[in-house]
Amino acid sequence: MSIINTLTKGWLFRIFTALLLLTAIVFSFFWDTSEKQSTYGVAILILFINFYLLGLVGYRVALLTQHTMAKVIPDYYLQLKGAVKKILLFSLLTTLTLLPNVTMMLGTMTWLLVIFLFLAISYLQPSVWLVFSASIFAVTFSSFDFTLAETNYWLWQVPAYCLPVFGFISYQVINRLDRFKMRPELKVRYSTYSGLSMSSSFNSIDKMPEKARPKLQQWIIDNNLVMFRKLLRSDKKISKLTLVDIASSGVNRFGKASFFGWSTTVALFCLYQHFFPLSTNTADDFYMMFFAMFSVGINAMGSTISFFTLNERKEYLARLRLMPLFNNEQEFSRLVLKVFFINQGKLLLFTLVSSTLVISMVWSDPTKLLVNTLVINTVSFCFFSALVLFGLHTKKQVKTIIMVIMMILFILLIPVAVISYKENIHLLISNTTQGVMVIGFVLLMLALAKWKFKVPSWQKLS
Amino acid sequence: MTTTIQISKLSKSYKKQQVLTELDWSIKQGDVIGLLGKNGAGKSTLINAILNINPADSGSVSLLGEDNKVLTSATKARIGYVPQQNDEITWLTVKELIQFKKQFYAHWNDSKVAELISRWEIDTNKKMSELSVGQGQRVLIILALAHEPDLMIFDEPAAALDPAGRRDFLKEIVNLAADENKTIIFSTHITTDLERVANKVAILHQGKICHFDDLDNVKENVVKVSVISDQPNKITIPYAINTFQDNHQVNGVVTQVDLQWKKELESQGHQVDITPMSLEDIFLELTA
């Protein structure tokens, strides 16, 4: 297998990148590129695609530079550097979709190189991600107009002139890949992230040594699970439901700290909005996009985590159900189901409460948006929960299918949220939405019926 | 003696690979059985099917007198199991994990747990994710013994232990085996471990228990037989699982020595030698 194949391994990753690129090409054809806003849309999409591509490939590059056999394999670094150069070149070529706007194309190329350099630094010093996230947050939700001539100058023209400088720096960085020195704990962490598979990453985090986890992540994990620990350290009798909840919880569990973190984000969101109210349509769109991703994303993330944790724990749960505490298999399955719905319910409630808060702070006429958000979240709750229940019930290993469907649903629900807002559509009274809601509800009922009438298969899946 | 486990026509396959094929096996109370099998022979599959952790495709298993698919709480409380892989909850400390597991059983021997913890020098404040593989394995063994089960099933329990840990674990099994009511099954690759503690040996090969007998009987019966003769082509060794000829000598491994046949050959002037074999060699011959 060539190094390029190793770096880009994973059909899901390749398909996702190809799909995004295709979207960018389609947009560049159909959008009126004489309109600045449309060109910006394509440029931002290009940057996003490459951030994803370079980010994931970068974890593998970082790991390959630390390969123990690197020093004894002939031409190892030469080939690795060659592969990185080719991938970076491919990444830069995606900016061709911005033609005939040459300034914008060159400016985007520079931004791509900035992303590349940022990622290279982040693999050595992950704390730069905090600075990055804060900057993105500030820029994305700032009320400045992206379409102004002055913004255009600083955002694209100046970077376009800087391309040779960043090109030279990037080239030098690639040529020095063999001097890359990484902390051992980062190596363990990156081997988890570089799987490029959601399921393997979720489950590997569970098995990752504590020292390899980022401190913030460890703090969140500890605090998410602290109530279980306290309970186990006390001499109190623990209910069957809680015992099943403990057994079904991985380090990815959404708990106190996660909800605190998300609440803080929501509060920051509201505060920011209070001091820098939306003034332009562009900012409004960004806000809307982020908000849709936030609410649907939390539901999707919660369902995905529940699914992968339970799916990975099947054999453990199979043993647990044999414990004398449970009268029969049906009782155990009912408890697992109950735990799942309690956790899903908490997520849904949190999403709805925070959505209501944000919507009433940001938008002046929030009623329709509130109802739409409620509809979208209910639909996502039904579909995601049904998928998880079907996936867990079956004897076959269906984690990839479940993940793909969840991802598609997630991607579909975001434009639905944005379009319904922009086009002033009432989702609750739309026939299509009503149909989708009925389908979601029926699917959920079918999944529940399946669990009720047939005990799920807890056997380990290969 | 009562039958603890009765297996009848048990079959299990993964995709197209048949792992267990109409396997029949009967285990009596008080048996301490070493289950031997090559890698991938299906030892873990068999154990998981016995406990209904990973149900079989067909066949039936009776555990302590009950169908393994509908075990009562009382019967479940009499079973202890150590899986091959430690998949315990990683984020709990050993102390918390013990407390967690304790909740599932009506009877729990705290002093036994404390004694093993101290003897095996396990830091109970460490999380499971912080323990070494061997330490983690020891915790699993403690958890399996804490409720003092009558039937204990260990799936390669000593594989991750260092020599001292293995010896200690085997000592614990010997102590348990002293109680005639306890039935122990442990799968292993390490034949020396088996010889130390087991009173019976079962060999799993090609989806079936191809050999199951008292350890002493196995060592006494499965031997190497050599016959020196001028007409080696005419010699057929009874009960031989494989034979090969080397000039005037015919060699073979038999599952049983036919003394009558031996006497007859010797009376005809042939020389018949019987050489005992190590358990490891027996295993290799039986599964060749």
Side-chain angles (χ1 to χ4, degrees):
Chain A
M1 189 187 271
S2 74
I3 290 197
I4 289 198
N5 271 338
T6 314
L7 294 177
T8 57
K9 195 171 175 283
W11 64 269
L12 204 65
F13 164 65
R14 287 176 185 168
I15 288 177
F16 193 59
T17 313
L19 272 178
L20 284 171
L21 268 177
L22 199 69
T23 317
I25 293 166
V26 169
F27 276 165
S28 66
F29 271 108
F30 290 99
W31 280 6
D32 183 2
T33 37
S34 61
E35 249 185 58
K36 275 179 188 167
Q37 212 170 323
S38 302
T39 328
Y40 291 154
V42 178
I44 287 168
L45 194 57
I46 292 287
L47 287 174
F48 172 74
I49 298 162
N50 285 296
F51 190 73
Y52 172 73
L53 170 77
L54 296 174
L56 287 181
V57 166
Y59 280 123
R60 289 180 171 185
V61 175
L63 276 177
L64 288 180
T65 57
Q66 308 300 300
H67 188 25
T68 39
M69 299 291 284
K71 294 273 193 292
V72 290
I73 298 174
D75 295 337
Y76 179 81
Y77 281 113
L78 199 68
Q79 287 191 42
L80 183 63
K81 287 171 191 174
V84 175
K85 279 174 195 164
K86 280 176 195 158
I87 290 173
L88 188 61
L89 185 68
F90 169 80
S91 178
L92 293 173
L93 286 177
T94 58
T95 57
L96 287 174
T97 44
L98 290 162
L99 283 174
N101 193 333
V102 179
T103 313
M104 194 128 192
M105 187 187 95
L106 296 175
T108 311
M109 276 187 176
T110 308
W111 282 116
L112 276 177
L113 293 175
V114 170
I115 288 174
F116 169 76
L117 292 171
F118 162 77
L119 288 169
I121 298 167
S122 77
Y123 297 130
L124 291 172
Q125 189 46 265
S127 53
V128 295
W129 278 101
L130 280 177
V131 182
F132 174 78
S133 311
S135 328
I136 288 289
F137 184 87
V139 173
T140 310
F141 305 112
S142 62
S143 45
F144 73 71
D145 192 341
F146 286 89
T147 54
L148 288 176
E150 199 185 338
T151 318
N152 182 47
Y153 175 75
W154 286 108
L155 219 53
W156 310 111
Q157 277 190 26
V158 173
Y161 287 115
C162 296
L163 182 62
V165 179
F166 281 95
F168 177 75
I169 298 172
S170 305
Y171 187 76
Q172 291 302 321
V173 167
I174 296 173
N175 279 340
R176 282 169 173 72
L177 273 183
D178 46 343
R179 298 184 196 172
F180 214 69
K181 287 275 177 294
M182 200 194 286
R183 299 204 302 268
E185 71 269 21
L186 290 181
K187 203 172 158 183
V188 180
R189 197 187 300 170
Y190 294 162
S191 33
T192 305
Y193 299 153
S194 63
L196 303 188
S197 140
M198 217 182 265
S199 61
S200 66
S201 296
F202 277 137
N203 299 322
S204 305
I205 290 169
D206 227 353
K207 288 168 191 147
M208 192 196 281
E210 272 193 35
K211 281 180 186 164
R213 290 186 195 132
K215 285 196 177 80
L216 180 66
Q217 189 184 35
Q218 190 52 46
W219 179 84
I220 293 172
I221 291 169
D222 284 339
N223 282 286
N224 277 344
L225 300 162
V226 73
M227 74 286 188
F228 289 145
R229 290 227 180 84
K230 276 186 186 161
L231 205 58
L232 286 168
R233 283 178 177 265
S234 71
D235 284 332
K236 280 183 196 159
K237 180 97 185 131
I238 305 173
S239 71
K240 289 181 190 180
L241 189 74
T242 312
L243 288 171
V244 172
D245 201 0
I246 294 171
S248 328
S249 297
V251 294
N252 296 302
R253 184 193 163 87
F254 267 53
K256 209 168 70 176
S258 305
F259 285 123
F260 173 75
W262 286 114
S263 307
T264 314
T265 314
V266 171
L268 275 173
F269 213 66
C270 295
L271 271 175
Y272 196 86
Q273 180 52 33
H274 180 73
F275 291 109
F276 306 99
L278 297 178
S279 57
T280 64
N281 283 337
T282 319
D284 198 29
D285 287 353
F286 274 122
Y287 232 108
M288 187 58 221
M289 178 81 91
F290 179 83
F291 176 69
M293 280 176 79
F294 174 79
S295 65
V296 180
I298 286 187
N299 275 323
M301 184 66 97
S303 308
T304 316
I305 287 173
S306 292
F307 175 71
F308 284 121
T309 310
L310 289 170
N311 201 48
E312 183 64 15
R313 290 266 172 92
K314 273 198 160 184
E315 199 178 49
Y316 185 70
L317 294 171
R319 291 209 306 277
L320 210 70
R321 84 193 197 284
L322 298 174
M323 296 286 188
L325 189 70
F326 306 110
N327 298 320
N328 50 47
E329 290 204 26
Q330 282 83 356
E331 186 194 13
F332 179 78
S333 300
R334 265 201 308 276
L335 287 167
V336 174
L337 204 60
K338 218 169 168 180
V339 164
F340 171 71
F341 274 111
I342 289 172
N343 290 328
Q344 286 285 88
K346 278 183 202 166
L347 273 180
L348 184 67
L349 189 71
F350 172 77
T351 318
L352 293 178
V353 170
S354 50
S355 302
T356 312
L357 260 171
V358 176
I359 290 169
S360 31
M361 283 287 291
V362 178
W363 286 279
S364 50
D365 181 19
T367 322
K368 192 188 73 196
L369 193 56
L370 268 175
V371 176
N372 280 359
T373 310
L374 180 73
V375 170
I376 287 171
N377 281 298
T378 313
V379 167
S380 63
F381 173 82
C382 289
F383 275 101
F384 289 142
S385 302
L387 270 174
V388 172
L389 295 182
F390 278 126
L392 288 175
H393 196 279
T394 179
K395 276 184 184 173
K396 289 177 187 156
Q397 181 59 280
V398 289
K399 63 182 179 189
T400 313
I401 303 168
I402 298 285
M403 197 174 69
V404 171
I405 302 176
M406 278 194 179
M407 208 186 271
I408 293 171
L409 268 176
F410 175 63
I411 293 171
L412 280 178
L413 282 167
I414 295 164
V416 169
V418 178
I419 293 167
S420 65
Y421 170 70
K422 286 192 71 121
E423 304 294 327
N424 209 19
I425 301 167
H426 264 289
L427 287 180
L428 197 60
I429 52 169
S430 142
N431 287 339
T432 317
T433 325
Q434 283 171 358
V436 173
M437 278 175 86
V438 170
I439 294 171
F441 186 72
V442 170
L443 275 176
L444 184 58
M445 287 301 120
L446 280 175
L448 281 172
K450 206 163 182 172
W451 274 64
K452 185 173 168 59
F453 295 114
K454 195 176 169 217
V455 174
S457 160
W458 291 113
Q459 69 188 50
K460 191 185 180 186
L461 304 167
S462 49
Chain B
M1 273 205 190
T2 51
T3 304
T4 304
I5 302 176
Q6 182 66 53
I7 301 172
S8 161
K9 304 251 175 280
L10 198 73
S11 293
K12 175 81 187 173
S13 61
Y14 290 109
K15 291 180 183 163
K16 283 179 185 167
Q17 194 195 351
Q18 191 71 33
V19 184
L20 304 175
T21 316
E22 301 209 334
L23 184 147
D24 295 308
W25 197 14
S26 180
I27 295 163
K28 301 268 183 261
Q29 188 179 13
D31 282 350
V32 179
I33 301 166
L35 176 62
L36 282 175
K38 285 181 180 173
N39 280 335
K43 299 186 292 292
S44 299
T45 303
L46 174 59
I47 287 173
N48 283 340
I50 290 175
L51 293 171
N52 198 32
I53 290 170
N54 203 348
D57 300 334
S58 60
S60 64
V61 179
S62 162
L63 269 182
L64 298 159
E66 287 181 2
D67 181 349
N68 73 339
K69 290 184 184 75
V70 282
L71 294 176
T72 58
S73 294
T75 302
K76 288 175 186 174
R78 293 172 63 198
I79 302 169
Y81 169 57
V82 175
Q84 190 179 5
Q85 278 194 320
N86 183 355
D87 59 354
E88 270 303 342
I89 305 170
T90 51
W91 48 269
L92 288 179
T93 62
V94 176
K95 197 186 277 177
E96 291 159 354
L97 185 65
I98 291 170
Q99 195 58 29
F100 172 69
K101 279 292 169 76
K102 189 179 171 178
Q103 306 281 329
F104 293 94
Y105 295 94
H107 172 72
W108 191 265
N109 190 336
D110 282 313
S111 55
K112 171 117 193 150
V113 171
E115 186 226 314
L116 287 173
I117 290 274
S118 129
R119 201 199 313 163
W120 286 345
E121 295 173 341
I122 295 166
D123 183 350
T124 54
N125 289 317
K126 273 193 174 173
K127 284 186 192 148
M128 286 300 282
S129 56
E130 291 174 300
L131 297 181
S132 68
V133 182
Q135 292 280 72
Q137 194 69 15
R138 287 175 182 192
V139 174
L140 295 188
I141 294 167
I142 295 171
L143 291 172
L145 301 178
H147 59 285
E148 299 183 320
D150 293 330
L151 168 64
M152 278 157 282
I153 301 181
F154 303 99
D155 194 355
E156 299 204 19
L161 301 179
D162 56 30
R166 256 184 28 224
R167 187 159 289 207
D168 229 9
F169 165 68
L170 295 173
K171 209 192 285 172
E172 196 54 43
I173 292 196
V174 171
N175 290 340
L176 289 167
D179 182 343
E180 284 182 359
N181 293 322
K182 307 270 185 201
T183 309
I184 302 167
I185 303 172
F186 67 100
S187 69
T188 183
H189 284 117
I190 310 163
T191 48
T192 48
D193 285 356
L194 193 148
E195 283 178 285
R196 267 188 206 145
V197 289
N199 57 29
K200 284 190 173 178
V201 58
I203 296 175
L204 182 64
H205 183 53
Q206 290 178 338
K208 287 189 169 157
I209 297 290
C210 71
H211 207 89
F212 178 48
D213 205 346
D214 283 351
L215 183 61
D216 295 338
N217 287 346
V218 171
K219 291 177 88 172
E220 197 179 307
N221 291 330
V222 184
V223 288
K224 195 173 157 190
V225 175
S226 305
V227 183
I228 299 171
S229 165
D230 294 336
Q231 294 172 301
N233 292 336
K234 290 187 177 171
I235 302 289
T236 310
I237 305 174
Y239 304 112
I241 42 176
N242 59 37
T243 50
F244 66 95
Q245 200 181 313
D246 186 11
N247 288 330
H248 292 290
Q249 190 169 328
V250 181
N251 299 303
V253 174
V254 296
T255 51
Q256 193 181 318
V257 179
D258 188 336
L259 293 172
Q260 186 67 34
W261 166 82
K262 183 177 178 265
K263 209 180 265 180
E264 271 174 29
L265 278 190
E266 282 172 339
S267 65
Q268 289 165 17
H270 301 296
Q271 187 187 329
V272 181
D273 292 328
I274 292 174
T275 321
M277 292 162 71
S278 69
L279 186 59
E280 191 171 278
D281 289 336
I282 293 173
F283 167 63
L284 289 172
E285 289 295 342
L286 289 175
T287 58

